Amino acid sequence: DYRHDEVTDSGGVSAIFTNKEWENRVEAIHAAFGPITNGALGIQYDNRDFAVTGADADYLHPAKSNSFAAYIFDEAAVTEQFKLQGAARIEWAGYKGNTDALGNLNRSFTPVSVSGGAVYKPEDNTSLFVNLSHTERAPALTELFAQGPHDASKTFEFGDPNLRVEKAFSVEGGIKHERADSSNASLTFFRTQFDGFIDGFLTGNTCNDTGTCGFPGPGRS
């Protein structure tokens, strides 16, 4: 349950940001069976109400999101020194918001993420590992529905209600050495390739107090 006020030197409180969010998760650790040494499965539910109100509340109209996810992780021992790991997560996310230009909007996404890895321990205190993962992320409320000035960052932000799920493929590997005194050293490499990466970028335009935007010129800041 979060709130902060954005205050101007001359006008007092110009905007009030509120965020009310519930996150619930139930997770179960299952016992070993067959080659599976340990694992977990769970579900997660998230509900969020985000709003900007006040005299300068054009940045974002009140918006809501709901998401439900299920996930699983398991580890299997091939030998005493070699283990395989795998995980998967699927999410159903729904968003409700509106903009002045497009009116009421409903968006839904189904991100799916999977990963697999291997760990090899040639010695008790040394391990080699490699992981592969495909992850997906739904856009955030502000990335979809932002439409006005944000005084804290001195920017005029426009979201994109047509954004799609952001995807990433990652590979990671390395070596880790642990000593008896609990000190350790590790070397890791990784590479990530994105598809549909969601990022903010500057257009080079400026906006005046009435919200009229264009190339830099008189009366704009």
Side-chain angles (χ1 to χ4, degrees):
D1 189 0
Y2 171 82
R3 165 183 169 151
H4 82 259
D5 300 337
E6 297 202 346
V7 183
T8 60
D9 293 336
S10 58
V13 177
S14 61
I16 302 169
F17 282 67
T18 59
N19 184 60
K20 298 182 183 294
E21 187 167 2
W22 290 91
E23 180 181 313
N24 309 275
R25 184 171 62 183
V26 177
E27 186 173 276
I29 308 298
H30 66 70
F33 61 93
I36 304 298
T37 56
N38 64 78
L41 63 160
I43 56 175
Q44 180 176 335
Y45 173 74
D46 184 271
N47 173 271
R48 183 185 186 193
D49 288 342
F50 186 80
V52 184
T53 57
D56 296 329
D58 296 330
Y59 171 65
L60 182 75
H61 292 172
K64 296 182 179 182
S65 68
N66 287 281
S67 67
F68 176 81
Y71 58 91
I72 185 171
F73 166 81
D74 277 307
E75 182 179 76
V78 180
T79 67
E80 291 185 1
Q81 291 80 28
F82 184 59
K83 294 182 178 180
L84 297 176
Q85 299 172 338
R89 184 179 190 273
I90 183 170
E91 179 183 358
W92 298 268
Y95 297 82
K96 292 183 178 181
N98 67 85
T99 66
D100 292 337
L102 300 175
N104 294 327
L105 296 165
N106 292 323
R107 292 297 316 276
S108 60
F109 304 91
T110 310
V112 177
S113 299
V114 294
S115 65
V119 179
Y120 176 63
K121 300 185 71 172
E123 302 175 359
D124 289 342
N125 57 357
T126 302
S127 59
L128 304 170
F129 63 91
V130 62
N131 297 306
L132 299 174
S133 64
H134 170 86
T135 58
E136 298 184 357
R137 180 183 75 87
L141 288 173
T142 53
E143 293 168 341
L144 293 169
F145 304 130
Q147 61 162 19
H150 192 188
D151 289 340
S153 57
K154 300 300 181 184
T155 55
F156 201 99
E157 299 179 9
F158 291 98
D160 183 358
N162 296 314
L163 285 173
R164 56 191 178 91
V165 167
E166 177 186 281
K167 301 178 181 180
F169 177 77
S170 301
V171 57
E172 177 188 18
I175 182 172
K176 184 176 182 179
H177 180 76
E178 300 179 6
R179 300 180 61 180
D181 60 2
S182 297
S183 62
N184 64 77
S186 62
L187 177 67
T188 303
F189 70 89
F190 68 92
R191 175 181 172 83
T192 302
Q193 180 175 333
F194 289 92
D195 178 22
F197 182 67
I198 300 173
D199 188 24
F201 66 94
L202 298 177
T203 64
N205 295 340
T206 56
C207 304
N208 60 21
D209 292 337
T210 65
T212 302
C213 302
F215 290 110
R220 297 193 175 100
S221 61

